[in-house]
Amino acid sequence: MKLDYKTGNKHWKIQLVHSTPESNDTYLFESENDEVFMNMLENSQSDMIVMGHTHLSFTKQFDKDKWAVNCGSVGRSKEENRLASYLVLTLDDKNIIPEIIQLSYPLEETARQIEESGIPDYYASFLRNDYVSIL
């Protein structure tokens, strides 16, 4: 999905994808070669690409106003600290500023409620970081 936000005389083009513009299954981590992200930005003619899939948040800036961002995950965080993460964007006619917000939530209570529901216990184990390796 491509978003076009106008602030003043500036149009910010923001590409939202699950993983990449070409795939829902490719894992791109912060350690990926910068050229991969810069090619995605160029090919999509975007100022920013916002992705997920890995559930690990990061922001990478290229040039002055080009960004690759993984917003992480709220309910299935793979962050080592297991905090929920989401993205806040601040836009004006000169800058686009991404900020990853991380916050705690009652993991154990959530895991217990999952176990008491019809949802597979795997998801409770995932929240507790039981039997689950972090990519």
Side-chain angles (χ1 to χ4, degrees):
M1 171 185 291
K2 179 72 100 21
L3 305 175
D4 184 340
Y5 285 99
K6 183 175 188 247
T7 58
N9 291 321
K10 176 67 177 174
H11 283 264
W12 294 106
K13 293 175 179 58
I14 302 170
Q15 180 76 49
L16 305 178
V17 298
H18 177 76
S19 175
T20 74
E22 293 80 29
S23 168
N24 281 333
D25 300 321
T26 302
Y27 285 89
L28 293 179
F29 297 96
E30 185 173 13
S31 60
E32 191 74 39
N33 186 311
D34 287 352
E35 189 174 312
V36 171
F37 296 111
M38 291 187 304
N39 286 338
M40 285 177 20
L41 288 161
E42 183 178 328
N43 292 339
S44 67
Q45 298 179 341
S46 299
D47 299 300
M48 176 180 281
I49 292 188
V50 179
M51 65 196 86
H53 194 53
T54 64
H55 298 241
L56 294 167
S57 61
F58 65 82
T59 61
K60 292 186 87 159
Q61 184 175 14
F62 308 99
D63 299 323
K64 178 183 175 265
D65 56 359
K66 301 287 185 185
W67 291 87
V69 177
N70 188 312
C71 54
S73 177
V74 172
R76 293 196 62 200
S77 173
K78 290 185 181 176
E79 307 283 350
E80 191 169 339
N81 59 20
R82 284 301 201 238
L83 296 177
S85 62
Y86 62 93
L87 174 65
V88 173
L89 290 179
T90 303
L91 308 167
D92 63 30
D93 59 347
K94 293 184 176 63
N95 297 296
I96 182 168
I97 302 167
E99 180 183 7
I100 300 292
I101 306 294
Q102 291 192 322
L103 56 111
S104 62
Y105 65 100
L107 288 174
E108 186 54 40
E109 178 183 342
T110 303
R112 186 179 40 74
Q113 289 176 351
I114 288 170
E115 291 168 335
E116 293 170 0
S117 74
I119 299 171
D121 287 350
Y122 163 82
Y123 295 102
S125 294
F126 181 92
L127 287 178
R128 290 187 179 114
N129 205 14
D130 297 338
Y131 320 115
V132 178
S133 64
I134 295 175
L135 298 175

